Amino acid sequence: MRIVAILAALLALSACQAPREIYVSDGYVRLAAVPRGPAVAYFTLHGGATDATLISVSSDVSIRSEMHESMQSGSMASMKPIDQVALPAASEVAFAPRGKHVMLFDMNPGIKPGGVVPLLFTFADGLRVHYKAGAIGAGDPAPKD
């Protein structure tokens, strides 16, 4: 009986936890293969307690950034800019190769593989999330989770 009471107390305490906040994980930036070419940011967004809408991802070390989505039609690959990304509550949205990604244009040439790229995620409700992504070279393998 005592074990049941302890389990009930633990369950009650876990129900009192604050709702999870939006956060970012598994982020990295693949630097450009050629000078002045765009870099590409990949990451996973984790939803909080309510639905959210990502409206931009920017960085202090790039002049301009754009969210894009890659598409495949037969043997033709293309990409299109996207203005916003829905992030349903308690879900994940991956920005990954051959899918959603962020293009970072005119990156600071001082950013080298092994460095850090600060990213700022801005949501429609005004929430801003800061994240530091590791930089990798154009031909380097993606980091493992």
Side-chain angles (χ1 to χ4, degrees), residues 7-32:
L7 289 174
L10 288 173
L11 183 60
L13 284 174
S14 69
C16 294
Q17 291 178 352
R20 268 190 111 149
E21 305 260 338
I22 292 173
Y23 69 98
V24 181
S25 70
D26 307 318
Y28 66 96
V29 172
R30 184 172 299 283
L31 298 173

Side-chain angles (χ1 to χ4, degrees), residues 20-140:
R20 268 190 111 149
E21 305 260 338
I22 292 173
Y23 69 98
V24 181
S25 70
D26 307 318
Y28 66 96
V29 172
R30 184 172 299 283
L31 298 173
V34 296
R36 302 201 42 90
V40 185
Y42 302 111
F43 47 85
T44 301
L45 288 174
H46 300 266
T50 60
D51 294 349
T53 303
L54 179 68
I55 59 171
S56 75
V57 180
S58 60
S59 179
D60 291 344
V61 297
S62 72
I63 300 298
R64 179 173 57 96
S65 63
E66 294 178 3
M67 293 188 293
H68 285 185
E69 183 152 21
S70 296
M71 299 165 293
Q72 187 80 28
S73 177
S75 62
M76 279 300 269
S78 64
M79 66 178 145
K80 67 175 182 172
I82 49 179
D83 294 329
Q84 59 187 24
V85 175
L87 179 59
S91 69
E92 293 181 0
V93 174
F95 279 59
R98 294 177 294 285
K100 292 177 181 60
H101 56 278
V102 176
M103 302 293 292
L104 299 167
F105 297 94
D106 297 313
M107 288 274 296
N108 179 325
I111 303 295
K112 303 290 183 204
V116 173
V117 178
L119 298 174
L120 176 62
F121 296 79
T122 304
F123 293 84
D125 65 358
L127 174 69
R128 293 174 188 254
V129 175
H130 295 270
Y131 182 79
K132 292 181 180 178
I136 65 170
D140 294 344

